[in-house]
Amino acid sequence: MFAALGEYGLSGDTQQVKDWYDGFSFGGKGDIYNPWSIINFLDKREVDTYWANTSSNSLVGKLIREGSPDVKRTFESLMQGESIRVEIDEQIVYNQLDDDEQSVWSLLLASGYLKVKNFKAYMTDFKEWKQEYELELTNFEVKMMFRGMIRK
């Protein structure tokens, strides 16, 4: 990514590009940039919500819009740059989205809009196995996408 910026004479934009398009991880690998957004940035030479504009985000918007006050407050914390701690259901099914408010965070994580900052698995005092995730918005591009969605 840095070599591509250099080749296009955009080395001075490294931090801005990192803030906007970095934040993804696969397995144990971090510092993964959104390739679609990087290609568009190199072409247009300006930051924008390229990836976020490639698909309809109506389901995500609906879940946030119709969510409880708790979901809205939690989402507001994310928008203010804070992280949240939640349990994630990795086996989330579409028809569960209306019944389980925590499923919104599972969907946002699976969709790439949230990233795992920290993970903790433990046994509770009641002998229940818990997996708690600390999540935050993936990057500034995602934040701008949500800001636009909220304004609409």
Side-chain angles (χ1 to χ4, degrees):
M1 202 282 305
F2 298 120
L5 288 175
E7 189 173 316
Y8 279 77
L10 298 168
S11 295
D13 294 322
T14 302
Q15 188 58 52
Q16 183 180 33
V17 168
K18 182 172 183 55
D19 294 341
W20 272 76
Y21 306 122
D22 188 15
F24 298 92
S25 62
F26 295 98
K29 302 286 185 195
D31 281 329
I32 296 176
Y33 291 73
N34 182 313
W36 178 255
S37 298
I38 293 296
I39 289 168
N40 279 279
F41 174 79
L42 293 172
D43 181 47
K44 295 178 178 39
R45 297 177 179 263
E46 62 185 0
V47 292
D48 202 352
T49 54
Y50 300 113
W51 174 57
N53 292 329
T54 60
S55 66
S56 169
N57 297 302
S58 58
L59 176 59
V60 172
K62 176 186 180 293
L63 291 172
I64 294 168
R65 204 174 39 257
E66 295 176 6
S68 72
D70 285 339
V71 167
K72 290 178 172 73
R73 275 190 292 276
T74 303
F75 192 76
E76 194 172 299
S77 296
L78 286 167
M79 292 297 291
Q80 292 172 357
E82 299 172 20
S83 60
I84 61 170
R85 292 183 188 279
V86 295
E87 287 185 65
I88 295 294
D89 181 358
E90 294 181 6
Q91 307 300 318
I92 193 69
V93 179
Y94 178 79
N95 65 1
Q96 292 176 319
L97 292 172
D98 289 330
D99 301 331
D100 178 9
E101 286 209 335
Q102 292 297 344
S103 64
V104 69
W105 314 121
S106 299
L107 174 67
L108 292 175
L109 178 61
S111 302
Y113 299 123
L114 295 177
K115 65 180 177 181
V116 177
K117 183 176 181 180
N118 202 353
F119 171 76
K120 179 181 174 184
Y122 60 95
M123 185 72 69
T124 68
D125 294 340
F126 301 106
K127 303 295 183 215
E128 279 187 294
W129 183 248
K130 294 275 186 176
Q131 294 182 331
E132 185 178 86
Y133 291 77
E134 183 178 4
L135 305 174
E136 59 188 4
L137 292 176
T138 301
N139 54 36
F140 197 72
E141 179 181 29
V142 170
K143 183 175 184 176
M144 291 300 96
M145 180 205 71
F146 282 126
R147 182 179 287 167
M149 188 183 296
I150 290 166
R151 286 182 177 157
K152 288 180 183 176

